[in-house]
Amino acid sequence: LIGLGVRTLSSPPSALPQLKKAIRSVSLSQCQAIAERALRLETAHQVHTAVHDSFAALLPDMVQQI
């Protein structure tokens, strides 16, 4: 979402520490590049897989928890 220009997120309080850690661990340009690649894909499954794989490479410890 950040790569698409969203600057306000809503989250349960219990998720805030992990969400903050994830956001602080990636750059805006990385998020934009992931979003641009995702927008070129045709199916929701392709998008999910591509985004998951991208963030797994950037945040391996966090993505394994999902």
Side-chain angles (χ1 to χ4, degrees):
L1 294 173
I2 292 170
L4 294 172
V6 174
R7 297 295 179 262
T8 303
L9 301 172
S10 179
S11 172
S14 61
L16 286 176
Q18 188 173 14
L19 184 58
K20 283 182 179 183
K21 180 179 177 184
I23 291 170
R24 291 175 179 161
S25 297
V26 295
S27 69
L28 178 58
S29 62
Q30 288 171 315
C31 292
Q32 289 169 331
I34 292 166
E36 287 171 14
R37 283 193 298 271
L39 289 171
R40 289 191 292 263
L41 299 173
E42 295 184 15
T43 68
H45 179 71
Q46 289 173 328
V47 171
H48 180 271
T49 300
V51 171
H52 182 274
D53 291 351
S54 294
F55 282 107
L58 293 170
L59 306 166
D61 294 337
M62 296 185 79
V63 174
Q64 289 177 5
Q65 298 173 9
I66 299 173

